Amino acid sequence: MDSQGKRAVRLRLTGAAVVAGISGVAGSWAYARAGASAGDLVRDLAVGWAFVVAGMMAWRRRPANNTGRLMVLEGITWFLGNLQGTAIPALFAFGAWWEALNMAVLLHLILSFPEGRLTTVLTRRLVQFAYGLVAVGGLLRTLMFDPATDTGATYLDCRECGPNLIFVPSWHGMFETFDAVYHAAGWALSVVAVVAIVLRWRHASAARRRALLPAWIGIGIAVVFLMWDMLFYVVPWFGEVGSVAEQAVYLLSDLAQVAVPFAFLAGLLRMHLQRAEVSGLVIDVGTDPDPAKVREALVRVLGDPTLRLGLWREERGAYVDSAGREVGPDGPGRTRV
């Protein structure tokens, strides 16, 4: 980047840090008002700001890759649901509406890693549905949500939170049914997302599978958390607000999620180092390269022992390896470049 590009990145990083700081402070204030202990506040801040710190490092090192920006956004939106702990009607409504936005951002992050962009129609549709579910479904749910009576509808133990600025009393009778449908849609979306990750894994090379490992860790933690959430919802007595079971699940979830952003960051940096090693190929291969030597160098740099190198032979109309065997460009377990 030129100096102007570096200044632009620094300004965006500074702005993101300010927004993340405000989000974290406001979320912690509201969470404390809802009865959170000092340990709860520390764990909550650790998760949200871990995503922000790791995301800013990734954003600075790889500004053309959207992964860093998505990690920062995940950290900022992590605290939005806590705003339901306030007695300010507008803030309560905002927190209730966007409570699950961080889950949609996490899905976007997982499905776009490591390129930082969505590469298939399925992943694009999944992410669009996730954001739409939060924006539209979350709004409708909030319109029916009365914090004075629906005390178990949020993860916060707050009997005096609210009121809800946009609550429509005549719609309240539909809240329980709509809330069940809203949660079910989130669980179904998670299942389809797992299928999409499995499909990417099946068709990936050995090196790409290692690159996708952080995404697996992230979605694994998210799915486990949603399964516990479903258990709390289906068996209310198991997940009563403030119960030991609920607190244990949230503690384990928070501790595990602190590691997720740094797993993404490590994956990005490892890819960056591997690409930097490509310049050494010129020295390794030498001035008289042969296909076998080139393949050995690529295997080492890419970390992919399954790599097959084919050179085009006009007379045979096919790609041929160093032993004279034809190399097919398609097939499972290979990534054509």
Side-chain angles (χ1 to χ4, degrees), residues 51-166:
F51 271 101
V52 172
V53 170
M56 292 180 71
M57 293 172 67
W59 190 348
R60 182 173 176 275
R61 295 293 297 272
R62 301 285 301 280
N65 190 311
N66 286 325
T67 298
R69 286 184 281 274
L70 287 171
M71 290 166 66
V72 171
L73 184 59
E74 171 67 14
I76 292 171
T77 57
W78 174 263
F79 302 104
L80 296 186
N82 291 352
L83 296 178
Q84 294 171 92
T86 72
I88 302 173
L91 285 180
F92 179 92
F94 185 81
W97 181 358
W98 299 106
E99 178 185 45
L101 180 58
N102 71 297
M103 296 301 293
V105 176
L106 181 61
L107 178 69
H108 190 175
L109 172 63
I110 289 169
L111 293 180
S112 64
F113 188 81
E115 294 90 351
R117 64 181 186 278
L118 302 169
T119 57
T120 67
V121 174
L122 175 60
T123 55
R124 286 193 290 271
R125 294 293 179 268
L126 284 174
V127 171
Q128 289 169 358
F129 181 79
Y131 286 125
L133 178 64
V134 175
V136 179
L139 174 60
L140 293 175
R141 179 181 179 275
T142 305
L143 292 172
M144 306 173 192
F145 182 19
D146 180 8
T149 58
D150 304 316
T151 54
T154 173
Y155 61 90
L156 297 176
D157 183 14
C158 187
R159 304 285 176 175
E160 300 178 358
C161 295
N164 178 2
L165 178 67
I166 60 176

Side-chain angles (χ1 to χ4, degrees), residues 42-286:
V42 169
R43 293 197 307 270
D44 194 56
L45 280 170
V47 176
W49 282 352
F51 271 101
V52 172
V53 170
M56 292 180 71
M57 293 172 67
W59 190 348
R60 182 173 176 275
R61 295 293 297 272
R62 301 285 301 280
N65 190 311
N66 286 325
T67 298
R69 286 184 281 274
L70 287 171
M71 290 166 66
V72 171
L73 184 59
E74 171 67 14
I76 292 171
T77 57
W78 174 263
F79 302 104
L80 296 186
N82 291 352
L83 296 178
Q84 294 171 92
T86 72
I88 302 173
L91 285 180
F92 179 92
F94 185 81
W97 181 358
W98 299 106
E99 178 185 45
L101 180 58
N102 71 297
M103 296 301 293
V105 176
L106 181 61
L107 178 69
H108 190 175
L109 172 63
I110 289 169
L111 293 180
S112 64
F113 188 81
E115 294 90 351
R117 64 181 186 278
L118 302 169
T119 57
T120 67
V121 174
L122 175 60
T123 55
R124 286 193 290 271
R125 294 293 179 268
L126 284 174
V127 171
Q128 289 169 358
F129 181 79
Y131 286 125
L133 178 64
V134 175
V136 179
L139 174 60
L140 293 175
R141 179 181 179 275
T142 305
L143 292 172
M144 306 173 192
F145 182 19
D146 180 8
T149 58
D150 304 316
T151 54
T154 173
Y155 61 90
L156 297 176
D157 183 14
C158 187
R159 304 285 176 175
E160 300 178 358
C161 295
N164 178 2
L165 178 67
I166 60 176
F167 173 55
V168 180
S170 60
W171 290 15
H172 183 249
M174 299 182 290
F175 177 76
E176 288 190 7
T177 301
F178 188 85
D179 190 45
V181 172
Y182 183 71
H183 281 79
W187 301 328
L189 180 64
S190 299
V191 172
V192 179
V194 171
V195 172
I197 289 288
V198 170
L199 290 175
R200 291 176 72 193
W201 183 271
R202 287 186 60 189
H203 295 285
S205 65
R208 185 167 179 77
R209 286 180 177 179
R210 282 194 293 274
L212 289 172
L213 188 59
W216 270 109
I217 296 172
I219 201 168
I221 291 174
V223 168
V224 169
F225 182 74
L226 282 170
M227 292 302 102
W228 278 107
D229 180 57
M230 180 172 64
L231 183 60
F232 290 151
Y233 189 80
V234 174
V235 188
W237 59 264
F238 184 83
E240 292 179 351
V241 174
S243 67
V244 174
E246 184 196 50
Q247 294 302 314
V249 169
Y250 287 137
L251 171 61
L252 292 174
S253 173
D254 289 351
L255 292 176
Q257 289 190 74
V258 168
V260 171
F262 294 102
F264 280 104
L265 177 62
L268 281 179
L269 295 181
R270 185 175 64 248
M271 290 174 58
H272 183 70
L273 290 173
Q274 285 178 334
R275 290 176 179 176
E277 292 177 3
V278 171
S279 60
L281 287 176
V282 177
I283 299 173
D284 294 341
V285 172

Side-chain angles (χ1 to χ4, degrees), residues 284-317:
D284 294 341
V285 172
T287 57
D288 186 23
D290 65 80
K293 188 180 292 185
V294 173
R295 180 193 172 278
E296 290 174 3
L298 288 171
V299 164
R300 187 185 68 259
V301 171
L302 299 178
D304 184 1
T306 68
L307 181 143
R308 300 177 66 198
L309 175 66
L311 302 179
W312 180 255
R313 299 302 184 197
E314 192 67 41
E315 65 277 9
R316 295 180 60 173

